[in-house]
Amino acid sequence: MLPTAPEYIEVTYRSDLDVLLIRWMRKVTLEEMCQGYLYLLEVAAHHRCRHWLLDARRRFNTDREGAQWMINSFLPTLHARLGGRTYLAYLLVPVIMRDAEADAAFPPASFFLGKPYLSERFIDERAAIEWLQQARQQQLA
């Protein structure tokens, strides 16, 4: 049985798409962000789901400290828990895509080469879902 979701995050498993849909409901502290991601990993492991759509439009905070925790502590645990490559599509507000500090916190595409996870940023939910579905189709092929 899964633990109860923190109040600042909504998680839905879309079995028709094999996508974990995550909606951050408000700005979070670093501690809440870490707790939220650890909860997401539990839900993903429960559903054996490696395709995540993370709607961070309400969260609206990306920082270097959180990014470092993701890169050094969280992302390396995905393969051991989920097996195979995990895909994380981030849905962001357009202003974040233009924010130099937020942009610097997100690793460049070259960072993901050879890693058992891949992440991309989007401002359109449909494009994010399409990216996740293409990744899923490639895995099935």
Side-chain angles (χ1 to χ4, degrees):
M1 184 166 180
L2 290 170
T4 303
E7 50 85 20
Y8 49 84
I9 194 169
E10 287 183 0
V11 183
T12 305
Y13 174 63
R14 292 275 314 264
S15 60
D16 58 325
L17 299 173
D18 190 27
V19 168
L20 200 61
L21 177 58
I22 299 109
R23 297 201 191 275
W24 295 91
M25 303 310 292
R26 63 167 170 79
K27 215 172 179 177
V28 294
T29 65
L30 177 61
E31 182 180 336
E32 289 173 328
M33 183 197 84
C34 297
Q35 290 172 346
Y37 276 105
L38 293 173
Y39 173 77
L40 295 176
L41 184 54
E42 291 302 314
V43 176
H46 176 79
H47 293 288
R48 297 184 189 106
C49 181
R50 294 178 312 187
H51 301 90
W52 301 10
L53 174 60
L54 296 120
D55 183 346
R57 293 176 292 188
R58 291 184 200 156
R59 192 175 100 188
F60 205 74
N61 58 332
T62 301
D63 61 40
R64 289 184 188 275
E65 193 175 2
Q68 288 303 310
W69 177 83
M70 289 288 294
I71 291 167
N72 297 321
S73 299
F74 182 72
L75 292 175
T77 67
L78 295 178
H79 188 266
R81 284 296 305 278
L82 303 176
R85 196 167 204 192
T86 302
Y87 296 83
L88 298 95
Y90 283 89
L91 190 57
L92 305 170
V93 292
V95 70
I96 291 289
M97 301 288 272
R98 294 188 304 267
D99 181 287
E101 187 173 331
D103 193 54
F106 195 87
S110 61
F111 170 81
F112 297 103
L113 294 175
K115 301 269 192 318
Y117 46 84
L118 184 61
S119 184
E120 188 58 73
R121 300 177 296 172
F122 300 88
I123 57 172
D124 178 70
E125 189 163 343
R126 176 194 259 171
I129 295 276
E130 287 174 3
W131 181 77
L132 290 167
Q133 291 301 287
Q134 287 173 357
R136 186 169 178 264
Q137 290 303 316
Q138 289 173 353
Q139 289 177 325
L140 297 174

